[in-house]
Structures are given as C-alpha cells and as structure tokens.
Amino acid sequence: MKDIQRFIAGFRTFQESYFGAGADHFEPLKEGQSPKTMIIGCSDSRVDPALLTNCAPGDIFTVRNVANLVPPFEEKGGRHGVSAALEFAVCHLGVEHIVVLGHSGCGGIKALMAGTCGCKGGGFISHWMSIAAPARERVLTELPDKEPGLQQRAAEQAAILLSLENLRSFPWIDQRVASGTLSLHGWYFDITAGELLEYQQEGGCFEPVKSC
C-alpha cells in the first residue's frame, strides 16, 4: 500500500499545481486536446515520454506498448489498439509529428533476440514481438559474430526503423508524409549515458540530438 499512498499524495501535489488557486493550465484543456506531436514509446517504467521531454499535460498524444512497436497496416485481424490511436491522432487531432521512441536495455527486444518471449500458458508477448522479427533477422545477418549486448542495441534501433517503415504502410499517414504535413522521427534513449539519439536519414545512423 505504500506505493498507492505515495501515488495519492503525488496526485494531491499535481492537483494543487494544476487546479489550485491561480492555476490556469487546464482551463483550455477542459474543452479538449490539440497536441501537435504523437509519441509511441515503450511500456518500460524508466522511459516516460512526458518526463523525458519535460512536457506538460496536453503537449503530446502518447501510446506506450512493449518495445514501442508499430504494427503494419491491416484491416482484418484482432483489436488494433496502436492502429486506432494512430488513426485518432492523425485523422482527428491532425498531429504534425510522430516520434517512435525506443531505448537501451529494452526487455522486449532482449527476449526477442534470446528467443524467450512469452510465458507458460500465454503467448501475447511472443505474438506482439513477432512484429519486430525482421529487425532481429537483420541484426543476426549483419552482425552475426558480435557480442549479445551490441546485437541487442542494434536490434533496438533496427526495431525503431522498422516501426517507421510500418507507419508509412498506413495510407493516411503516407499521404500526409508525402505532402509535407506530417513528419516521422526515430529517437533512441540511452539509459546508461542519459543521452537521446535521433535517426539521421542522410547518414543512416542514430546521432545525439542537437538543440535548436
């Protein structure tokens, strides 16, 4: 119960900061949201997109899942949570940027590389992580003799690129990217170094982000 009590106390602090006397940040948000950026991040408790970017409520539309994956476009199959969020963000909110935010030490990618996804009596993780199978195959083909840690880092970054490719498979995303009204970004948070890297199309690699 200690965690729950700490969370409640934290909410009281949030409530006072955003709804207390003189606080007006939520006044326009009470009528709706209009973020210009969507971030697709990992469920990992260490990688909170709003915390990493120092954003306030209403600044970003966020979707988090195991290994920050984007499935390819398909109209049949199961319940498409990520795809539904993409449709809402792009077609209804009109976001101008979509960021795929991966990170080092990702448990989902580690399990994918080791072939240990899922657990006895369930297969949700294995089925989900199969989205990133091409990233695993690419790394094992290009870096067959490298040590596991380097392969995992390469796979984490390759999975970001795969998700960026999958985003373009959604027709209403591809159309907006082609017209210049929507931009896609690949970010990688190095937890050990405390550094944020961004994929540079020109150089074909991830490099530290530069301040504007």
Side-chain angles (χ1 to χ4, degrees), residues 14-27 30:
F14 164 83
Q15 186 179 46
E16 179 62 28
S17 298
Y18 287 97
F19 290 90
D24 59 2
H25 181 84
F26 260 86
E27 284 307 311
K30 292 177 181 179

Side-chain angles (χ1 to χ4, degrees), residues 60-118:
I60 54 175
F61 186 77
T62 307
V63 171
R64 298 177 70 177
N65 61 58
V66 176
N68 46 267
L69 298 178
V70 175
F73 175 78
E74 59 178 349
E75 296 178 318
K76 298 180 180 180
R79 299 183 173 102
H80 304 296
V82 174
S83 301
L86 285 168
E87 182 179 3
F88 183 71
V90 174
C91 300
H92 297 274
L93 294 178
V95 297
E96 298 172 358
H97 303 274
I98 299 178
V99 178
V100 178
L101 173 61
H103 67 97
S104 63
C106 179
I109 297 297
K110 181 178 181 180
L112 176 71
M113 295 302 292
T116 58
C117 292

Side-chain angles (χ1 to χ4, degrees), residues 5-6 8 26 32 35 56 58 68 77 96 111 118 120-121 131-132 155-156 181 183-184 202 204 208-210:
Q5 292 304 316
R6 179 164 58 88
I8 293 174
F26 260 86
N68 46 267
E96 298 172 358
K120 187 176 181 180
I131 296 171
E156 290 161 350
T181 58
S183 298
L184 307 182
E202 298 80 8
V209 295
K210 299 179 181 178

